[in-house]
Amino acid sequence: MDYKYSLLDSTVDDYHKRPLLLQVDNTPLNLFAVLEVKRDLTKRSSTVGCKIRLYGFLFGLAIMFLIMASYVLTGDKKGLLFTPSPYHLNSLVSPGPFAFNLSSVRDYAHIKLVVKSIKSKVGFRSSRQLPELKALMRSDPHMFSVIPRKFLPGLKNPCWYEEFTGNITTDPYKTNLYGRYSRRFRTVFQHLRSTFYHHLLHRNRRLYRMRCLPYFYIIGQPKCGTTDLYDRLRLHPDVKFTTFKEPHWWTRKRFGIIRLSEGLHDRYPVEDYLDLFDQAAYQIQGELTTNISGSPSLPKIIIGEASASTMWDNNAWVYFYDNTTEGEPLFLIQDFIHAVQPEARFIVMLRDPVERLYSDYLYFGIANKSAEDFHEKVSESLQLFEGCLMEYTMRSCVYNTTVNNAMPVRLQVGLYIVYLIDWLTVFSKEQILVLRLEDHASNRKYTMHKVFDFLNLGPLSKEIESQITRSPASNTRRPADKNLGPMLPITKEILQDFYKPFNEKLAKVLRNDSFLWEYNSNL
């Protein structure tokens, strides 16, 4: 109470204005700073000290009441409970001083300067410090106790036999959280239950079940054609997938996250994830048993997993790992995958990040969608990202869970190169196939042949190949969203400018200028 607090009113140009800047002892703080008030070391009498503590306690209670009331009134109760930052950034940026008047040249110039500021802070680190295997094992000892270090020899797909110690009269999938919480998958699990005990292997009076991990992963990105690629690969006779497309186990379910706004649920153990491969494991086991009986060939079946969050979503790290790396994740998803299967293969599908972001915005079922609303959300998100860069490195802002949750649109998902560089510090280039949706849409036969070669799949009959390459595209834009039309030209120009340095680095790393997504117009 002995400090002076005031709102700063910048007299510089509009670009340097901030909606709420607090000054404590002549030191300005922005919304990403943590307020720290130094104690007065002057000796005071015990009576005065008691009064100050009493007043301070009452003042603190009043502030807490006001904060709680504001969250209740604005409907942000869940965000208050599950946000690691002392600030709920979403409530600070929308609506209010950040709203933009699209007809105002002044506001347009402002956001252009925000993008210019962001581009001035873009930098790419060549490598990151990889965690030791022991540290990863300490982080998730159960997973490493279930998955063996070596797999069955001779199989193309990583599989192993696990001793089954359960009671043969009980439901083997009774505790599986995928089956418990997902109504549409109960039919699949019912089929798995009915055939489970027929597939157990009897050896030396013991029962064993085959377990498998994926041979390959389709890891990203959202709204880049991963569903279409998944649907076409499912038609290949030697390719099997999980019982449904996106388990999101590595990024979310193993942490107990369904949606960050809902808080933490029960953590899905690795056994629940492995259960999703049982159908494919049965087929591999059936072919292996037949081959052992006399055929010289081994099973050619491979298993895929297609969660488009695997490449980029590390939002759970801040809740489970010590923040000892200046705001950057201590462990990444790829660290754990590499630790259990270093030979895995990955397919990445990308598209023009500007169009990806608009498609992402249209996909989610929000009310009152429009090109104007998209522009405002882009503007708010850019300002949040720039605010983070004022305090932290670019990479820490990309992985900043609070900033990611606060941004109205997912700008960070289109920063492909940031994630790819981190994947390339763990896996080799030969293990990661990067495709463009634009190429896939124009020549599906070409891209599918690239995928077949990458996965070492054998030749197909003309009939099956035709079925794979000529089937209609999956997961296309809904008619209602098409009626909204394209984004505003000024929004496109701003986003193209924002993503340009990231695309340039991506094209350089991949040695392919098509990833520049260069535009014919000057917009």
Side-chain angles (χ1 to χ4, degrees), residues 82 251-253 255-260 263-265 316 319-320:
F82 202 65
T251 55
R252 299 169 190 172
K253 299 300 193 299
F255 299 105
I257 294 174
I258 309 299
R259 296 179 184 86
L260 280 175
L264 292 174
H265 296 257
Y319 306 108
F320 293 93

Side-chain angles (χ1 to χ4, degrees), residues 8-74:
L8 299 182
D9 184 13
S10 174
T11 57
V12 198
D13 58 38
D14 290 338
Y15 165 62
H16 293 289
K17 288 186 178 179
R18 293 290 182 269
L20 284 175
L21 282 180
L22 190 64
Q23 178 172 319
V24 181
D25 287 348
N26 298 320
T27 302
L29 299 173
N30 69 12
L31 64 97
F32 288 93
V34 178
L35 180 61
E36 181 179 349
V37 180
K38 299 178 181 178
R39 292 185 178 180
D40 189 350
L41 299 180
T42 307
K43 294 182 179 180
R44 304 178 186 274
S45 66
S46 60
T47 304
V48 175
C50 289
K51 287 183 178 181
I52 290 175
R53 285 193 292 272
L54 177 60
Y55 291 150
F57 176 74
L58 293 175
F59 179 74
L61 284 178
I63 292 297
M64 184 182 298
F65 174 79
L66 290 173
I67 292 174
M68 292 296 294
S70 68
Y71 272 88
V72 171
L73 291 174
T74 57

Side-chain angles (χ1 to χ4, degrees), residues 369-388:
K369 289 183 285 190
S370 68
E372 291 77 15
D373 179 67
F374 177 66
H375 179 88
E376 291 185 4
K377 285 179 166 55
V378 166
S379 300
E380 294 170 13
S381 301
L382 286 168
Q383 288 183 102
L384 269 174
F385 193 65
E386 188 235 359
C388 182

Side-chain angles (χ1 to χ4, degrees), residues 2 18 30 118 137 201 219 229 233 279 301 321 482 486:
D2 295 316
R18 293 290 182 269
N30 69 12
I118 292 173
M137 295 178 71
L201 185 68
I219 61 175
L229 178 63
L233 274 174
Q279 280 184 318
I301 291 176
Y321 307 141
K482 288 181 180 179

Side-chain angles (χ1 to χ4, degrees), residues 446-494:
Y446 170 75
T447 55
M448 293 310 299
H449 273 282
K450 288 192 70 171
V451 172
F452 297 156
D453 290 343
F454 176 72
L455 298 178
N456 297 315
L457 293 169
L460 293 169
S461 66
K462 291 183 179 180
E463 292 77 15
I464 295 177
E465 182 175 313
S466 177
Q467 185 183 6
I468 292 174
T469 58
R470 295 184 181 181
S471 57
S474 302
N475 201 23
T476 56
R477 188 170 294 177
R478 294 178 291 244
D481 293 336
K482 288 181 180 179
N483 293 336
L484 293 175
M487 71 183 81
L488 298 173
I490 59 171
T491 315
K492 178 174 281 192
E493 178 187 353
I494 288 166

Side-chain angles (χ1 to χ4, degrees), residues 324-335:
T324 57
T325 52
E326 298 181 355
E328 298 184 5
L330 184 63
F331 307 131
L332 293 175
I333 298 305
Q334 53 265 42
D335 298 329

Side-chain angles (χ1 to χ4, degrees), residues 120-137:
S120 70
K121 298 176 177 64
V122 170
F124 302 99
R125 194 182 303 172
S126 58
S127 62
R128 54 181 280 259
Q129 184 66 40
L130 297 179
E132 295 182 356
L133 178 60
K134 291 182 179 179
L136 295 171
M137 295 178 71

Side-chain angles (χ1 to χ4, degrees), residues 164 168 170-173 186-202 207-210 243 275 277-283 285-286:
F164 178 72
I168 60 173
T170 60
D171 179 2
Y173 302 105
R186 288 176 184 172
T187 303
V188 176
F189 278 103
Q190 184 58 41
H191 173 70
L192 290 173
R193 289 186 189 97
S194 64
T195 60
F196 179 81
Y197 294 104
H198 299 291
H199 295 285
L200 291 178
L201 185 68
H202 297 256
L207 297 175
Y208 296 88
R209 66 187 295 190
M210 179 173 277
T243 54
D275 285 347
F277 303 101
D278 276 1
Q279 280 184 318
Y282 294 160
Q283 291 180 275
Q285 181 180 342

